Amino acid sequence: MSSEIPALVADKISPRAKELLAKVTKFVEEECQPAEVILESQIPSDPSKRFLNSYPAIIDTLKAKAKKLGLWNLFLSNIHYREGVALSNLEYALIAEQLGRCPVASEAMNCSAPDTGNMETIAKYGNDAQKKQWLTPLLNGDIRSAFVMTERFVASSDARNINLDIKRDGNEYVLNGTKWWSSGAGDPRCKIYLVMGKTDAANPNPYKQQSVVLVPHNTPGITVERALSVFGYDDAPHGHCEVSFKNVRVPVSNILLGEGRGFEIIQGRLGPGRIHHCMRSIGVASVALELMLLRVNDPNRQTFGKPLSQHGTILEWIAKSRLEIDAGRLLVLNAADQIDRSDAKGALKNIAMAKIYVPSMALTVIDRAIQAHGAAGICQDFPLARMWASMRTLRLADGPDEVHMNQLGRLESKKVKEL
């Protein structure tokens, strides 16, 4: 499916970005989409071997091809990172939409979560030694990573509640606590965790209690307890894991930015990560609409004497889906452009709007496509059920809708002084 650049932003897209967009579109269609079936066949069916064991070999084949084509680390803009590539966030938004059309594509080009957010975090806040040890192999695609923040027994949507204990003992930090929904921790290539916890629980400023520490995955005391399922899908070998830390010791030099800087780091990290999810979600919704169009225009499928595509309800679903996808795309592009103009903090309002709207929009489009497919839409013969599960997760990942609603509402309320 050819990619189109909206007229509103066409003059901001460089010739190089247009060339990359065309190459990415072709690579997704000709290499990644055919590889989906192969990837699934290379994941062990034995539950005991689906995590921390192996990963599909086809991924390495795709990575080698992507590197050779120059389709690598496209998410990291040199506008904000010296390690980045010559693409703006706006230009990457168009590319990421194409990545969203195939679940294999992002990893094939080293542009998949949570590695993208973790690489941005280390690039922005890490020192030279930390970058050499962890950022370089991540950028090379040699290892993977996990961001370890959410906790099971507190309301983690308010990050002040995060209470994994991080105590200093001489030249080391000692970590004790349990995390869950640690995405990526099930992958045998995951070598580094970015762990958020409390270094100063007594600090009167609740936003200065938290810190982020780099913790190698094989540090003694770490146990991957289990992989959690998402509406029945286990997302192996990537996984979303519950991880326990019992007297886990790391050098003091492993702290990012400094003690009490955790909130600063997660705000800097989550902004771009949220918008990356939204970029890809436009691609997911577009695929759902295309599947719906194919289904309802199948000449063999008629109800009450006429093709499905001639029923008013179906036509309304198609029209609404097109309107909503295009509206969501413009919200995402506007947020990406604002990040380019300032940074994630300067684009809080725009990011919140996209994060609130796009996953729900994609869910609605996917749901219509499922309905148009009838019972086929909820079975393994079509990707719609898995797509729905993935999109529903995004209404919680990187902060639930309600948090972003509150933030957007507060930002809008500040305008009352200007009225």
Side-chain angles (χ1 to χ4, degrees):
M1 189 75 178
S2 63
S3 55
E4 294 183 9
I5 300 174
L8 281 173
V9 299
D11 60 345
K12 294 185 177 183
I13 309 303
S14 69
R16 179 176 183 273
K18 291 176 182 177
E19 180 184 348
L20 280 173
L21 178 60
K23 288 173 69 175
V24 166
T25 302
K26 183 178 181 181
F27 184 73
V28 170
E29 291 178 353
E30 296 182 2
E31 300 289 350
C32 296
Q33 289 175 339
E36 287 185 60
V37 175
I38 300 172
L39 182 141
E40 287 294 330
S41 70
Q42 292 179 345
I43 299 174
S45 57
D46 183 345
S48 66
K49 296 180 180 179
R50 289 176 68 81
F51 298 99
L52 301 173
N53 179 62
S54 64
Y55 65 95
I58 190 66
I59 285 295
D60 288 337
T61 302
L62 291 172
K63 281 185 171 183
K65 291 180 179 179
K67 273 188 177 181
K68 188 175 182 180
L69 291 168
L71 306 179
W72 196 255
N73 292 333
L74 301 179
F75 72 95
L76 195 65
S77 172
N78 65 2
I79 292 176
H80 297 297
Y81 304 96
R82 60 184 172 88
E83 298 88 357
V85 297
L87 281 176
S88 66
N89 283 286
L90 177 62
E91 291 168 336
Y92 178 65
L94 297 168
I95 289 172
E97 179 177 337
Q98 297 304 309
L99 301 184
R101 297 180 59 84
C102 173
V104 182
S106 290
E107 185 179 353
M109 300 182 217
N110 213 39
C111 292
S112 56
D115 296 330
T116 49
N118 292 339
M119 285 187 270
E120 286 177 332
T121 299
I122 299 173
K124 186 172 184 178
Y125 301 112
N127 58 40
D128 288 342
Q130 292 166 343
K131 290 180 181 181
K132 182 179 180 180
Q133 185 175 7
W134 300 115
L135 180 59
T136 298
L138 282 167
L139 287 171
N140 290 339
D142 297 330
I143 65 171
R144 299 208 63 187
S145 60
F147 193 75
V148 183
M149 176 178 170
T150 305
E151 297 183 7
R152 182 179 179 184
F153 300 108
V154 297
S156 297
S157 57
D158 182 350
R160 293 172 300 181
N161 293 327
I162 300 300
N163 62 14
L164 177 137
D165 186 53
I166 304 176
K167 277 192 169 64
R168 182 161 182 169
D169 182 18
N171 292 323
E172 294 180 316
Y173 286 114
V174 184
L175 286 70
N176 282 283
T178 300
K179 299 283 189 176
W180 73 342
W181 293 108
S182 302
S183 297
D187 194 312
R189 296 165 295 171
C190 180
K191 304 301 182 185
I192 184 66
Y193 299 160
L194 281 70
V195 182
M196 184 173 181
K198 282 189 176 178
T199 48
D200 186 7
N203 194 309
N205 183 344
Y207 296 99
K208 298 292 184 182
Q209 297 177 0
Q210 314 278 355
S211 301
V212 175
V213 179
L214 296 167
V215 183
H217 81 293
N218 58 352
T219 306
I222 295 177
T223 303
V224 177
E225 302 288 354
R226 58 173 177 154
L228 304 163
S229 63
V230 179
F231 293 103
Y233 297 103
D234 66 5
D235 292 339
H238 183 71
H240 312 281
C241 299
E242 183 171 344
V243 184
S244 63
F245 297 78
K246 186 174 182 180
N247 296 322
V248 173
R249 290 179 172 270
V250 296
V252 168
S253 59
N254 281 30
I255 197 161
L256 272 178
L257 201 57
E259 289 190 13
R261 307 290 292 275
F263 265 87
E264 181 180 346
I265 291 171
I266 64 169
Q267 287 304 314
R269 179 191 186 278
L270 290 178
R274 286 168 179 146
I275 200 69
H276 289 169
H277 280 314
C278 291
M279 294 168 181
R280 290 187 291 267
S281 299
I282 300 296
V284 174
S286 297
V287 170
L289 175 55
E290 291 164 15
L291 289 171
M292 176 163 53
L293 288 170
L294 290 170
R295 186 73 172 188
V296 302
N297 283 283
D298 181 346
N300 295 318
R301 299 188 182 281
Q302 299 193 15
T303 58
F304 306 105
K306 58 182 177 180
L308 291 175
S309 60
Q310 292 183 16
H311 287 275
T313 299
I314 298 291
L315 291 172
E316 181 179 337
W317 288 351
I318 293 170
K320 284 185 173 180
S321 296
R322 172 48 58 205
L323 285 166
E324 291 159 6
I325 290 170
D326 285 6
R329 179 182 293 111
L330 293 179
L331 277 175
V332 169
L333 294 176
N334 186 50
D337 187 44
Q338 188 58 41
I339 294 173
D340 288 331
R341 292 169 181 269
S342 53
D343 54 23
K345 188 174 182 180
L348 283 177
K349 172 185 172 182
N350 311 87
I351 293 171
M353 291 170 67
K355 179 65 170 65
I356 293 164
Y357 179 83
V358 172
S360 291
M361 174 278 294
L363 276 171
T364 300
V365 174
I366 295 167
D367 191 68
R368 291 180 188 131
I370 289 173
Q371 201 70 9
H373 281 72
I378 60 173
C379 78
Q380 70 270 33
D381 289 359
F382 292 88
L384 292 165
R386 184 184 286 269
M387 289 162 62
W388 190 93
S390 176
M391 285 299 103
R392 184 61 185 84
T393 304
L394 286 189
R395 292 192 58 204
L396 295 168
D398 291 344
D401 288 0
E402 292 74 18
V403 169
H404 301 295
M405 287 282 193
N406 280 334
Q407 182 185 59
L408 180 59
R410 288 196 302 269
L411 291 171
E412 285 296 297
S413 292
K414 290 179 180 179
K415 293 181 179 179
V416 70
K417 297 177 183 178
E418 303 170 8
L419 300 179

